[in-house]
Amino acid sequence: MTMAKLSLLGIGPKIGRVALPYLLVTLFLSIYFKETFYVGQFLEKPLLIVGIALLVIGVIFWAITGRLLLKGIKTTTMMTTGTYYLCQNPLYASILLMVIPGLSLVLHTWLVLTTSLVGYTLFRIHIAQEHREMESVFGEAYLAYKKNTPEIIPLPLKKWFKKAG
């Protein structure tokens, strides 16, 4: 009996199909109409530093997650360590919570940040598809993981408090 294979891209293309063009438009508008969307005139340097830090952390988080994801798909293994210990969807978390906000801070524009809202809305609309796939492949183990691991915010408080108690 062969085990079901997991999809490589998941809902990523459904999010990217809308969010990527939206991001490009916000970047264009932010550059062309800089004074309209500019933020941080008094905090320009601190926002730049925080933005660069978010970008670097986000890209590292994304790369680690990508490596784990490929390993899990190749071996049909449910990943629960590394970035997957922190949240169920670290790939989306890295982009929506770190990379896009970091880019927004580096460019000093609030408009680019709205891409995270668009992306998160699309994530919420489509994520049930990935949940069904994971449940069909991993069953109860996935349901237990899902119950104790945050969906997208990489702060597994339930796990940490369970260990402390």
Side-chain angles (χ1 to χ4, degrees):
M1 181 174 129
T2 60
M3 187 170 222
K5 281 292 183 187
L6 297 169
S7 69
L8 177 62
L9 300 176
I11 62 169
K14 290 180 179 181
I15 295 171
R17 200 173 318 169
V18 175
L20 188 56
Y22 182 86
L23 174 62
L24 294 174
V25 168
T26 65
L27 286 168
F28 171 78
L29 292 173
S30 293
I31 292 166
Y32 192 72
F33 299 106
K34 184 176 180 173
E35 57 283 336
T36 303
F37 303 110
Y38 183 77
V39 66
Q41 60 198 29
F42 301 110
L43 298 171
E44 196 166 297
K45 194 168 189 173
L47 290 178
L48 178 66
I49 292 167
V50 171
I52 290 170
L54 272 174
L55 275 170
V56 169
I57 292 166
V59 168
I60 291 169
F61 201 81
W62 178 85
I64 291 168
T65 301
R67 190 169 177 197
L68 289 170
L69 176 66
L70 291 174
K71 178 182 174 186
I73 289 172
K74 183 178 178 183
T75 62
T76 313
T77 303
M78 186 172 76
M79 302 311 292
T80 59
T81 60
T83 55
Y84 285 94
Y85 175 83
L86 300 173
C87 66
Q88 298 171 43
N89 299 286
L91 209 56
Y92 303 124
S94 65
I95 300 298
L96 297 174
L97 302 177
M98 296 174 227
V99 172
I100 292 171
L103 184 61
S104 181
L105 290 174
V106 166
L107 297 175
H108 303 293
T109 173
W110 60 266
L111 187 61
V112 169
L113 188 58
T114 63
T115 306
S116 284
L117 298 174
V118 169
Y120 180 73
T121 301
L122 293 165
F123 168 83
R124 295 294 326 138
I125 290 168
H126 297 292
I127 194 59
Q129 175 186 335
E130 284 191 15
H131 290 314
R132 285 189 301 274
E133 180 181 2
M134 294 294 289
E135 189 176 344
S136 72
V137 174
F138 300 112
E140 290 298 319
Y142 173 70
L143 293 175
Y145 169 76
K146 184 178 170 187
K147 179 181 175 186
N148 292 306
T149 308
E151 188 169 49
I152 197 165
I153 307 279
L155 291 171
L157 298 177
K158 284 183 185 178
K159 292 178 183 180
W160 293 342
F161 286 126
K162 201 178 275 188
K163 281 183 181 179

